[in-house]
Amino acid sequence: MSAHPPLRSCALHRPGWTAWIDSRVRIGAAVSLLVLSAALPDAFAENGSCLPVSVDLVSRITAARLLSPIRLDGALDEESWQRPAAAPLVQNEPDNGCTPRQDTEWWVVYDDEALYIGCRMLDSQPDSIVCGLGRRDAYPVSDWIYLNLDTFNDDRNGYSFSFSPAGSMNDAVIYCDGATDDSWDGIWDVAARVDDGGWSAEVRIPFAQLAFPDAEEQVWGMNFSRRICRYQERDELFHRPRGESGYVGRFPDLVGIRGVKPGKRVEVLAYGAGKADFTDADGGDPFRDGSDWSGNTGADILWGLSNDLNLNATFNPDFGQVEVDPAVVNLGDFETYFPEKRPFFVKDSGVFRFAREGTNNNWNFNWMDPMLFYSRRIGRTPTLSLGDNDYADAPEATTILGAGKMSGKIGDNTIGLLHAVTAREEARLEYEGIRSEQTVEPLAGYTVARLSRTTANGDHGVGWMLTDVRRDLDDPRGREELTGAASAIGMDGWTTLDDDGVWALRGYLSGSRVTGSSEAIDEVQRNSRHYMDRPCADHLDYDPNRTRLDGWSGRLMLNKQSGAFTLNTAVGVASPGYEIGDLGYQTRSDKINSHLVLSYAWHEPRGVFRNRAISLGTYKLWDYGGAPDNYGSCVFWSAGFRNFWEAWGNVFYEPERTGRWTTWGGPPIRLPRHRSAEAYLESDGRGVWTVGGGGRVWDIADGSRGASAEMWFTIRPRSGLRLFFDPYLSWGHDKVGWVGTEEDSTMTDTYGSRYLFADFTERRFMMTTRLDWTFTPGLTLQTYIQPLFAAARYRDIKELSRPNSYDCNVYGRDNGSTIVYSEEDGAYEIDPDGAGPIEAYSLDDPDFNFKSLKLNMVLRWEFRPGSTFYLVWTQNRTDEGHAGDFELDRDARNLFGSPGDDIVMAKIATWWNL
């Protein structure tokens, strides 16, 4: 191994035109035969070169002490790499249980500071090696090596390190026996090179980046995996037959590491940032002149209390995110969920995961397991309403004064403890020439605690979680609009029911309590998660004078998670008072939910298919009082083809049923039959071009209908350059589109309110564009552009005539009613009974035409491991002209011609290991 063939350049694999045409001919045949696939003869045999693996797979790998220093250059010319290779691999895809097409040699050595892996990936066609170049955690199309370490040997958790021949790096934490979270970024290094015999690499992983037991001799689980792109091949240390579950639990043991103690390490990540905001300011605005300059410095400190327990503290923290959230038009009553992107909260976030582990085949219909900790609540946009003002200057986010976090293991227990304090935020107001200040967010403290324990073989686990929010409400507005304290506690766990882990049971139980003034608790009872004041719900205990609200939620799930036939069924309950919105995320309380899904998968290739699967499901929903709500049935299908195209889709059917939430807190109505179907197809993702697309259609028995279509294109003209386009278009016409509520004591049939609907027609177009340009693994330029156009028109405004029906009175047509539109006021004047005694009322025109453009450009340079420089430009534009009228050409001109807000930010973060 001391001599090597000449180095070669790395190029993106480009299929020829013959393969391009052939792939499209075959996919046409595949789609035509999909429904009859079970009866197809074997049109294609298994790869003739596939030989059953003839060696006994190892159960342990031995790491050796480093013989001499290693220079990371990918050359494998050091003495440590000249000994016999560690272990052979077996092919798991595409030819399950067969000998790999190409040979791989690899070694594991260590010293007191780090673990080293050297590997030689032999290849008979080195010109065909795919050398994807991408930013960290981007996973470009490429050959790959994966190194997975189960450092506590608990058969469920661990670390994943992966790299390409071009030196691209990815890392993640592994949980739940195979799920990954790539938000974790470790400090490690790799060097790779390609030559005439294949490619090779050297990896250094400092022990300081890993948590492991405090023992003289370490016994870890380990997997070494090679991915060969042109074959879609995955070679690993273990054989997993198709259809069987289990991943981390199959890892061989890594032994031989002795006397390693990383010690009590201290890491510091210091940052400095400057920001300039350029906005289109109103000429009379006393608080804005069109530009705003700001800067900040701070530091995060990590203190390793032991091998497997870390303490993180942050001072004047950097909680600004360099990536923007997508634009949305939310016409429902649920809060929009956005993922966390801030580094402090992303790191070790898996420790605080609740009720997500134990089963690998999970379904949810009209249900969301509670997210007890939704970290975007900390540092959120201030929420208190503003007083009368002509101009206002309110902060965009709440300042986080400081935060600390402890995470890791104590014995067999995994723990997580987080505490953060946010500042009182003030807004400046001017009203009729008089300036004032007003609190828009109180001083608050947030606490999260998590404790979990898993058995040594990973077959059973149990955990507890506690969250708590305390606010200093020292002004009347704060006491009226916000709860003073909110707490939640939960217990979750799982167990396998047989020795092979085929059957598993998972469940949780959670309780909540919020306290505050009667006004604040009344607001909680009436919000969209509860609607506890709604009529026709005798089981609800709505009390506008209460100062405390308690509730609970629980769920039990049974899963058959291995084999061709699988099953998933669950029942869940959320009481009307269950409320975790102060520090968690939830959709709806007051429900009892159940479902059953039966699935069958053909894992072995047959005919034009590599695999196929179909799932049949049924679900039903009740309110907490036992009254039926929504129910239906569905079919899901998927297919993978021999040419590595993929297809999938579903069909839903919901018969006539009760809708208890359609009136947004009003009485239930009777919903007509609803059905929908969608199908998608995506090409092989290994070439220069990848294309996919599909759509959805739906209709309701009352004549409502709609459709959506989407296509996505990925272009990789060269290694390191990726362009992604995702145009999306939708159209819908709903005979009973929600408008709002108008209180009227004369409406005794509908409990003192008019519940307003309309014929609702909406059109949307969105074009998400991404450009990722990787110059080197440490220097990247990312560009994100998203124009959004959404317009809706409301006609035939109507009111619900009586509960538990689908009957509506149309204004201007029924009961002598009249409706007149005023162009000057932009509102409808509605008289429900014409010349009758009922007073007329005004309704603002609900038509809208919302246009948005979001642009985000990020230059990222990791100038040394853990130390990064960012240069960011963000632009936002919006326009709302021509309400109700969708005309894409005109709307695009108006949007791009509207004034925009620009933000330029520079940030440098430097990491030191003390």
Side-chain angles (χ1 to χ4, degrees), residues 760-831:
F760 168 75
T761 302
E762 184 198 16
R763 294 175 176 84
R764 293 192 190 194
F765 176 76
M766 182 170 62
M767 176 74 166
T768 301
T769 302
R770 293 183 182 273
L771 185 152
D772 294 336
W773 198 342
T774 305
F775 307 104
T776 70
L779 180 61
T780 60
L781 177 65
Q782 298 170 253
T783 302
Y784 168 86
I785 305 172
Q786 186 212 43
L788 169 66
F789 304 88
R793 176 172 293 177
Y794 296 77
R795 295 294 181 266
D796 290 342
I797 297 175
K798 62 198 79 173
E799 65 183 32
L800 181 68
S801 59
R802 63 182 183 278
N804 294 301
S805 76
Y806 200 63
D807 299 331
C808 292
N809 299 319
V810 180
Y811 292 138
R813 186 185 306 169
D814 299 329
N815 298 336
S817 60
T818 62
I819 179 170
V820 179
Y821 182 70
S822 170
E823 292 280 356
E824 181 179 353
D825 297 332
Y828 291 97
E829 189 70 21
I830 299 173
D831 192 328

Side-chain angles (χ1 to χ4, degrees), residues 449-484:
R450 174 69 163 151
L451 174 65
S452 61
R453 183 184 181 96
T454 305
T455 56
N457 59 6
D459 289 341
H460 316 286
V462 65
W464 296 264
M465 191 163 183
L466 170 70
T467 66
D468 186 72
V469 181
R470 303 285 162 168
R471 297 187 176 96
D472 182 15
L473 302 176
D474 57 359
D475 65 287
R477 190 183 297 270
R479 287 190 291 270
E480 290 178 4
E481 298 183 11
L482 294 175
T483 59

